[in-house]
Amino acid sequence: MAKTRTFIAVTASRDLRAHAQKTISALSSTEVDVKWVMAENLHWTMQFLGDLDDDELVQVCRRVDRTVRPNAPFELIAHGVGAFPSLSRPRAIWLGAGEGGKALCQLQAANEKSLSDLGFLAQRRPYVPHLTLGRLGRGREYRDQMIDQLVSMEQLEGPAMMVDEVIVMASYLEHSGPTYQVLARVPLAGA
């Protein structure tokens, strides 16, 4: 039986994607080898689930619906540029969350708890809401330029977006990069 690489996310709004592209353009002025995320693939990952069979996908979609639907939509504001594991050792570059970030963390925690009895383990590290912009290559050449750029953008203000749905997404890894397919859309309908 074929399995589907699956994750749960919130898709970035059009305004946020435009802001991310401007941020990527500014960061691209360095000569560091970075694999940038395509605008249509930008999202706030809530939980990576791994490879699921069809029965597991159905269970996950039902559980996400039951957990997410009762929540009211909320505004999320992009704030700051950061990196994992840290600004001084960047491997993944991201936009962070300001106002509304706590609400996204609460939604993520509720979803993670709901899926735990289906066998999905909680993340080892605390959840940090972020929108991945790119991943650095292995080379160390020019890395200090990137670190300087990241530090200068640490307090960058971004646009607001409404979080009004959560998506269960399939990810297909290809040579040119990942492509995504929506498996389920769950609205935040409120109580």
Side-chain angles (χ1 to χ4, degrees):
M1 180 184 297
K3 295 200 173 212
T4 305
R5 184 178 164 92
T6 308
F7 64 94
I8 300 168
V10 172
T11 303
S13 68
R14 183 179 307 161
D15 287 346
L16 184 51
R17 286 193 309 267
H19 173 72
Q21 287 304 117
K22 287 180 188 173
T23 305
I24 287 170
S25 292
L27 291 169
S28 295
S29 66
T30 68
E31 297 182 51
V32 177
D33 175 30
V34 181
K35 173 81 171 156
W36 298 108
V37 175
M38 294 172 24
E40 63 268 16
N41 287 345
L42 292 168
H43 60 271
W44 304 89
T45 301
M46 293 175 62
Q47 188 173 1
F48 178 74
L49 301 176
D51 295 327
L52 308 183
D53 64 32
D54 291 345
D55 290 338
E56 291 170 319
L57 281 173
V58 169
Q59 290 178 35
V60 164
C61 290
R62 285 182 181 152
R63 191 64 59 95
V64 171
D65 187 89
R66 188 175 349 148
T67 304
V68 169
R69 191 174 295 274
N71 293 274
F74 59 91
E75 188 174 75
L76 177 64
I77 299 175
H79 175 79
V81 173
F84 291 131
S86 68
L87 283 177
S88 61
R89 295 181 328 164
R91 291 288 298 133
I93 299 169
W94 46 261
L95 287 178
E99 188 176 325
K102 185 176 179 181
L104 186 58
C105 287
Q106 291 169 343
L107 187 61
Q108 185 277 337
N111 218 36
E112 187 175 71
K113 183 178 180 188
S114 174
L115 292 173
S116 66
D117 66 330
L118 294 178
F120 296 100
L121 301 176
Q123 297 181 43
R124 291 186 186 123
R125 296 183 181 114
Y127 175 67
V128 176
H130 66 281
L131 189 122
T132 301
L133 299 177
R135 290 177 176 76
L136 277 73
R138 297 273 180 216
R140 298 230 178 259
E141 195 174 13
Y142 307 111
R143 195 163 289 229
D144 288 344
Q145 289 178 5
M146 179 60 75
I147 292 169
D148 291 344
Q149 280 280 69
L150 293 173
V151 169
S152 75
M153 300 173 98
E154 201 171 0
Q155 296 300 317
L156 181 70
E157 290 296 326
M161 63 169 275
M162 285 304 295
V163 176
D164 56 8
E165 75 175 357
V166 169
I167 296 174
V168 179
M169 195 87 86
S171 173
Y172 303 100
L173 301 178
E174 300 171 6
H175 182 66
S176 59
T179 58
Y180 301 134
Q181 176 186 1
V182 174
L183 300 174
R185 292 181 185 275
V186 180
L188 278 71

